[in-house]
Amino acid sequence: MSLALGLGRERAVTVAGYAIGLQVPRVALRPATPEEAAEALRAAAADRLAVVLWGGGTRLRRASPARGYDVALDLGALDRVLEYEPEDLTVTAQCGVTLATLAATLGARGQELPLESPRANDATLGGTLAWNGSGPRRRRFGAPVDRILGARFALSDGTLARAGGKVVKNVAGHPVHRLLCGSRGGLAAIVEASLKLLPAPETRVALVYGLKDWEVADAARWKPLPRLEPSFVTVLGATAARALPAAARVEAPFVAAIGIEEERRWGAEQERAIVAVLGAPTARVEGDAVVALAQALADAEDQDGARLTLTSAHLTPAALAPFVERADAARLVLHAPAGRLHWFPADENATTLALDLHQAGFRVIDTRGPLTFQAPIPPEVAITPLRARIKDGMDPAGILSGAR
Amino acid sequence: MNPVRLDLAPLRALLGDDGVLDSRAARFTYEADALVIEKHPPDAIVLPRSSDEVAAIVRWARAHGVPITARGAGTGLAGGATPEHGGLVLSLNRMDRVLRVDSERMFAWVQPGVVNLDLSRQLAEHDLYYAPDPASQQVSTVGGNVATNAGGPHCLKYGVTFNHVLGVVAVLENGDVVLLGGEAPDSPHFDLASALIGSEGTLAIVTEICVRLLPKPQAVKTMLFDFETIEQSCRAVSAAIAAGIVPAAMEIMDRHTVGLVEAWLGIGLPLDAGAVLLIEVDGPAVSLEAQVERITRLAENEGARSVRVARDEAERAAIWKGRKSAFGAYGRAASGFYIMDGVVPRTRLAEALAGVGRLCAERGLESGNVFHAGDGNLHPHVLFDADDPTQQAAALEASHEILRMCIRMGGSISGEHGVGIEKRPMMRELFAPEDLAVMERLRAAFDPERRLNPGKILPGDGDGGGAPAQLGGMHPGAEGEGAWI
């Protein structure tokens, strides 16, 4: 194969930076335009080379590719904000722009794109969309799939195509752009996306509570919380909580951080209501410190070692009741209103744990690291062929190695 | 397809005699949705009561090579539920139960035939509601809303149907009953439910829906502003958004529409206004007074001549009645009119409206505008004499040009009504061939033999080769609140 896969040699970059676990690709390319990205895919398909799409590498460095790894296609150079019209509350940007850059651009106009990822300085828009990644504010502000309005993407046959559009309301055509969210680079390479924005809230406050295990498990304590619609309620085990910013650091078996991001008066009322329910917080932060705290809560999923990620319909911390006495609960992270749990098992044989979590309504949606366990959930037999047909339709050469 | 050749006995055995209709009258009843210009009677209508019955029908249809068009209440304005290729219309109206409400975890499982407004009524005892509120909500079904990814006046703040569906049970083209998504918000892999929502029944038939519920807003404030010009009203909308306010709804009616509505209902709308702007804010009571003050100040800065704030629910209902009666008012004013569903970036609204006026005036036609201003979703109405073929042709042409203008402005040809038959030819103008090819591949992955609502959305066989003859919904003589925008 040509090392540059149809691109100039200047697009080839050193492979060392693209290791996934112990796997290193044969070639790493950093195209400068969407057209070059599409051309590289076409050339890779011609040679049947397995391609992993790279953004900031925030998730891939700890992942393992599903099928082979010949080419790292780094889309980080596609890093421009293409259109930003604050009065439309929309932005169109290339996939390689980082979440931090987007936040700064939008923040200067009092707006935000509530996408969340660990390591927002490195995490790219494309990567966050492709993983449909989310964090503590998931329930209140939605996942990437809720915010994407349209996308331009490169297919492995070298085609550049679009779906959706740039306007906030649009039902014309099949929403391929939404299907790409969560496809982890296994269907197409998102090169550009349009997203719906929000005005930044007037007030940001976070209340931080140190909790005993029985307090976490006390369903009655938490029951009123979902209807107050806090922007986040994240519970961390003691070990995970040590990574929080100093202003929010609390020594306790568990720490709950509750966010209020609202219009000023309602924010104050909401805070009073939460204090009435939960008592005075151990720590309180406000303003930009809440943004930093929310980022730290998103970062908390990025701990070393094996990890199970689970989803559930639970809305409160009481969902952890069966698990609070486990020693390895010290590293857990639960974004409660989104029902999203990250668990870092002490034992690599996590079958019993996964079964117990399944019994408690949590469903494994992702695993990472050297875990061995029997999935407690039957595979989605009926839709596996459908997924395979979609994959074949989008990536007929089967070269896009959707990383897991 | 000739119904005589279809042996419907197995379906009657499955569904009972009242579950299979094939009389001439029934077939004509189901020959179209609210796009009455396109009529294609089905060979038979089936009315299942469960996912398993839907699956059995799908398997039967597969074995006999019969197309199936799923249908909710038939309020769609784009022909999405019109059985263009005959076969079966699968009406989901008998699957109309709310199956389960989990008020603590704030979701509900419902059957697709549940009427949108009935769902929120049933949720009231839990102090919860289902946010998507298409104007048709008193009649349209949640399943139909899922098929079109319906919006509504309040989707500015709350998002569209897609944002409120957690999962679906669906019957695939081979008769498999599958769960896509579920009560939990996330899925492993890519989310197949996201492909189904808005697919107009072309990918699978949705038989159960898990919807996300929200706590009912504590309070609502509804304001009505009047402006000398429509440009001013559009600027007020942009000013509110730029100031960081996202009202629950922002709706504009132009002078023409105000005149027709007022002549009909006499609800005190200002006849000399160039436009009236309805803004509704909802949420915690403590926040609303401040929002009303800020919005009023911004609107006055843009030239608002007066503001009326509804003092009670009755006054609020009266303000909304004016907005929701626009369609009926047009119906009284002309024997025919076309309604469009274009979208432009919010900042180009005033320019787009001027374009609508110009494109109609050039053809000697009257037009009116009532629209979801906060979303940039236009619903221009082109009025014509239904008995005058020249006027009708001119109206079709104007409709086509208006949607082309939306595309040129970076917008879309449908904000909430779907593509169906009506806008299918324009898909070639909105999307490039390679874009449509990817959508075709997605469609083929779900329904390789194109038996589920064949011919809809994507241009292909039977789309009239891109001729504008199918453009524009014609609703001669519509009255009252009988159709919705």
Side-chain angles (χ1 to χ4, degrees):
Chain A
M1 71 175 171
S2 152
L3 273 180
L5 287 173
L7 308 186
R9 283 187 174 274
E10 66 276 15
R11 301 288 182 248
V13 290
T14 175
V15 296
Y18 300 94
I20 300 177
L22 296 175
Q23 286 180 287
V24 178
R26 294 158 68 188
V27 59
L29 296 171
R30 193 171 157 90
T33 63
E35 290 73 20
E36 285 189 0
E39 174 54 24
L41 287 178
R42 192 199 55 74
D47 287 341
R48 298 264 159 191
L49 299 173
V51 178
V52 173
L53 305 168
W54 275 75
T58 49
R59 291 182 170 86
L60 282 178
R61 284 179 212 287
R62 293 179 189 274
S64 38
R67 347 165 167 188
Y69 186 19
D70 299 311
V71 180
L73 190 64
D74 179 350
L75 301 167
L78 307 177
D79 62 354
R80 288 188 303 131
V81 174
L82 299 171
E83 288 177 39
Y84 174 38
E85 178 50 71
E87 289 180 19
D88 283 330
L89 271 179
T90 58
V91 69
T92 299
Q94 288 185 312
C95 57
V97 65
T98 64
L99 294 190
T101 301
L102 271 174
T105 306
L106 307 172
R109 301 297 298 267
Q111 297 184 346
E112 60 182 35
L113 175 62
L115 298 189
E116 303 173 286
S117 170
R119 296 168 51 201
N121 285 327
D122 298 328
T124 62
L125 173 63
T128 307
L129 293 172
W131 287 67
N132 199 30
S134 65
R137 302 160 88 212
R138 162 82 171 84
R139 169 140 183 130
R140 180 69 188 279
F141 300 110
V145 73
D146 291 300
R147 305 223 74 88
I148 191 167
L149 300 170
R152 189 175 185 216
F153 44 90
L155 297 164
S156 63
D157 64 2
T159 306
L160 278 167
R162 288 180 190 277
K166 295 175 179 175
V167 284
V168 294
K169 209 166 161 193
N170 183 6
V171 295
H174 290 290
V176 178
H177 52 293
R178 292 206 299 256
L179 205 58
L180 297 181
C181 294
S183 69
R184 302 190 174 188
L187 297 180
I190 300 169
V191 295
E192 178 186 316
S194 299
L195 299 117
K196 190 174 172 179
L197 306 175
L198 282 176
E202 251 179 54
T203 305
R204 295 186 210 260
V205 171
L207 309 178
V208 186
Y209 292 86
L211 301 168
K212 305 277 195 322
D213 51 13
W214 62 267
E215 291 173 311
V216 173
D218 179 6
R221 160 188 299 261
W222 302 107
K223 192 176 174 188
L225 217 53
R227 295 203 181 207
L228 290 169
E229 299 187 291
S231 63
F232 55 85
V233 180
T234 295
V235 177
L236 304 104
T239 308
R242 285 190 196 114
L244 294 182
R249 212 169 295 149
V250 171
E251 278 296 328
F254 292 93
V255 171
I258 301 174
I260 299 164
E261 297 176 86
E262 291 295 346
E263 182 273 332
R264 189 171 48 83
R265 284 172 238 210
W266 171 232
E269 190 169 295
Q270 213 181 7
E271 184 174 351
R272 278 194 294 277
I274 291 170
V275 169
V277 171
L278 299 179
T282 321
R284 179 183 185 279
V285 294
E286 57 183 46
D288 289 345
V290 177
V291 178
L293 173 60
Q295 183 58 50
L297 297 173
D299 289 340
E301 71 173 74
D302 196 30
Q303 301 172 45
D304 290 334
R307 186 186 72 193
L308 289 171
T309 295
L310 307 103
T311 189
S312 74
H314 297 304
L315 301 181
T316 77
L320 293 172
F323 310 101
V324 288
E325 290 178 13
R326 288 179 61 109
D328 52 2
R331 294 176 67 202
L332 71 77
V333 182
L334 173 70
H335 301 306
R340 173 70 72 98
L341 175 64
H342 299 283
W343 194 293
F344 302 84
D347 181 358
E348 287 181 5
N349 182 351
T351 298
T352 311
L353 168 65
L355 276 168
D356 291 346
L357 287 165
H358 185 57
Q359 287 292 323
F362 288 96
R363 179 184 186 202
V364 176
I365 54 170
D366 192 21
T367 61
R368 193 191 70 191
L371 274 175
T372 54
F373 75 101
Q374 285 300 113
I377 308 147
E380 301 164 295
V381 177
I383 56 174
T384 301
L386 175 59
R387 285 191 185 283
R389 287 200 302 273
I390 292 172
K391 165 79 174 164
D392 287 346
M394 301 281 288
D395 174 26
I399 60 156
L400 288 170
S401 213
R404 300 231 66 88
Chain B
M1 194 159 303
N2 182 345
V4 175
R5 292 188 189 162
L6 281 180
D7 177 11
L8 299 171
L11 294 178
R12 289 192 206 286
L14 176 76
L15 304 169
D17 282 343
D18 62 348
V20 181
L21 313 175
D22 65 345
S23 69
R24 190 178 155 82
R27 292 173 55 236
F28 286 137
T29 303
Y30 288 87
E31 66 186 354
D33 57 16
L35 179 75
V36 293
I37 197 170
E38 279 282 339
K39 294 175 181 170
H40 301 274
D43 295 303
I45 301 93
V46 286
L47 297 127
R49 293 185 190 275
S50 69
S51 298
D52 286 343
E53 288 185 358
V54 173
I57 294 164
V58 168
R59 284 194 294 271
W60 179 90
R62 187 184 205 214
H64 294 81
V66 174
I68 300 183
T69 300
R71 177 183 170 113
T75 58
L77 289 161
T82 299
E84 194 180 14
H85 296 271
L88 298 181
V89 161
L90 189 150
S91 165
L92 291 149
N93 287 79
R94 296 210 296 193
M95 293 177 66
D96 61 352
R97 284 184 302 133
V98 175
L99 300 171
R100 183 157 77 93
V101 177
D102 187 324
S103 62
E104 271 194 30
R105 294 188 292 174
M106 298 198 281
F107 64 79
W109 278 102
V110 305
Q111 290 185 313
V114 171
V115 170
N116 176 300
L117 195 59
D118 287 349
L119 172 58
S120 281
R121 282 193 186 122
Q122 292 192 47
L123 295 167
E125 62 174 299
H126 305 284
D127 235 8
L128 295 168
Y129 80 117
Y130 174 61
D133 64 335
S136 59
Q137 71 178 147
Q138 339 164 22
V139 182
S140 69
T141 61
V142 177
N145 297 165
V146 167
T148 54
N149 192 16
H154 291 81
C155 72
L156 169 63
K157 178 173 176 182
Y158 293 102
V160 293
T161 299
F162 172 75
N163 305 111
H164 298 273
V165 173
L166 291 164
V168 298
V169 172
V171 177
L172 302 180
E173 57 83 33
N174 63 0
D176 281 352
V177 182
V178 298
L179 170 67
L180 307 175
E183 294 156 10
D186 291 300
S187 306
H189 312 294
F190 47 90
D191 177 9
L192 289 169
S194 77
L196 254 57
I197 298 165
S199 66
E200 302 186 26
T202 62
L203 303 185
I205 298 173
V206 170
T207 56
E208 291 179 29
I209 303 150
C210 184
V211 294
R212 189 166 77 104
L213 308 176
L214 298 179
K216 279 180 84 168
Q218 273 180 14
V220 179
K221 288 276 183 194
T222 307
M223 296 158 266
L224 194 68
F225 300 94
D226 83 88
F227 293 88
E228 203 164 314
T229 68
I230 201 153
E231 291 77 14
Q232 290 173 328
S233 66
C234 293
R235 281 205 301 272
V237 168
S238 284
I241 297 288
I245 304 167
V246 180
M250 291 205 272
E251 305 280 313
I252 292 178
M253 288 194 285
D254 69 1
R255 184 196 303 268
H256 184 89
T257 309
V258 167
L260 294 178
V261 170
E262 187 56 24
W264 182 22
L265 300 176
I267 51 176
L269 295 173
L271 288 170
D272 61 337
V276 298
L277 166 62
L278 184 166
I279 297 187
E280 185 161 282
V281 290
D282 67 7
V286 69
S287 297
L288 296 192
E289 286 300 339
Q291 284 192 45
V292 168
E293 279 169 29
R294 284 182 70 198
I295 290 169
T296 302
R297 209 165 46 242
L298 290 164
E300 284 171 353
N301 287 345
E302 299 299 341
R305 301 186 305 186
S306 72
V307 56
R308 177 172 151 197
V309 183
R311 284 159 298 185
D312 51 33
E313 187 53 38
E315 196 172 351
R316 175 179 177 242
I319 289 176
W320 273 107
K321 185 173 174 62
R323 160 64 182 87
K324 290 182 177 176
S325 300
F327 195 100
Y330 292 132
R332 286 165 47 90
S335 58
F337 63 90
Y338 290 101
I339 170 179
M340 278 150 284
D341 180 31
V343 190
V344 297
R346 184 163 33 222
T347 43
R348 301 190 70 176
L349 267 175
E351 188 188 342
L353 293 168
V356 169
R358 192 186 62 250
L359 289 166
C360 292
E362 283 170 3
R363 292 165 177 81
L365 299 165
E366 276 192 87
S367 63
N369 286 287
V370 52
F371 54 98
H372 309 303
D375 301 314
N377 189 184
L378 301 170
H379 290 311
H381 293 60
V382 182
L383 280 65
F384 59 91
D385 178 351
D387 296 325
D388 179 347
T390 313
Q391 268 213 2
Q392 183 166 340
L396 274 166
E397 189 183 85
S399 306
H400 198 172
E401 290 304 320
I402 288 167
L403 292 180
R404 280 195 172 129
M405 176 192 70
C406 293
I407 295 173
R408 282 197 303 276
M409 287 185 172
S412 174
I413 57 173
S414 181
E416 56 186 2
H417 296 166
V419 174
I421 296 172
E422 181 203 21
K423 300 184 198 79
R424 191 173 51 194
M426 293 224 71
M427 289 289 281
R428 286 205 176 99
E429 301 191 33
L430 183 63
F431 289 108
E434 53 271 27
D435 308 336
L436 296 171
V438 177
M439 294 179 197
E440 289 275 7
R441 288 190 229 172
L442 174 64
R443 176 87 148 262
F446 276 91
D447 182 20
E449 293 174 30
R450 287 285 192 103
R451 234 186 348 270
L452 300 177
N453 209 2
K456 302 295 166 59
I457 303 179
L458 298 174
D461 293 344
D463 70 349
Q470 291 165 323
L471 270 174
M474 186 175 70
H475 310 274
E479 287 281 344
E481 293 179 24
W484 299 272
I485 46 175

